[in-house]
Amino acid sequence: MYMVILLFGFFGIAMGTGWVAQLLTGRRSGRMDWTQAFWVGVAAMGIAWLVGWLLDRKIGTTFGVAGFIAAIAAAFVIQLVLNARQAEVRAEEHDREKDLTPEGLPGHHQPQKHKSKKRRG
């Protein structure tokens, strides 16, 4: 029974840290991605556990205030990396869409645009 409570507590803290990280990084879409928040939180809790264990060799540090703050800091860094990667992907998609014609063909099928020549006069 205690293991179930501990497990739900771990996943609750993980979801909370991912949520706080998304709030701190300022999601551009305005909506929370709860799946991403959960996995970012789980990864951050793992990092917080590892740091806590390396510092004082106690498992309980993860569930203390210091462990929660370390998890939020780790989740914040992970979320920043994920947001940067998503921004790169969106920029690549935008560039790719910009190069397509209205028919959906790649840009090299577009007729050549001739620049107007300046007249000398």
Side-chain angles (χ1 to χ4, degrees):
M1 182 67 182
Y2 293 113
M3 196 59 156
V4 172
I5 293 171
L6 187 64
L7 192 64
F8 279 120
F10 177 79
F11 288 129
I13 291 173
M15 182 72 83
T17 56
W19 174 70
V20 169
Q22 285 188 7
L23 286 178
L24 291 175
T25 58
R27 300 282 300 177
R28 297 209 192 290
S29 64
R31 294 180 49 124
M32 287 291 167
D33 185 356
W34 291 105
T35 306
Q36 187 179 38
F38 174 75
W39 289 112
V40 165
V42 167
M45 287 296 292
I47 292 170
W49 173 81
L50 182 64
V51 167
W53 183 77
L54 289 173
L55 291 178
D56 66 357
R57 307 276 191 224
K58 292 182 183 177
I59 301 293
T61 305
T62 305
F63 294 104
V65 175
F68 190 61
I69 291 172
I72 289 175
F76 179 73
V77 171
I78 293 169
Q79 191 66 47
L80 282 177
V81 170
L82 289 175
N83 286 352
R85 178 64 187 136
Q86 286 177 350
E88 276 182 31
V89 169
R90 275 193 223 110
E92 289 174 8
E93 288 175 358
H94 179 69
D95 289 341
R96 203 173 307 123
E97 286 176 6
K98 193 168 58 171
D99 291 340
L100 293 178
T101 63
E103 295 85 24
L105 300 171
H108 64 275
H109 291 286
Q110 294 179 357
Q112 294 292 327
K113 295 180 182 177
H114 298 288
K115 294 181 181 178
S116 60
K117 294 181 180 179
K118 293 183 181 179
R119 295 184 187 182
R120 293 184 183 182

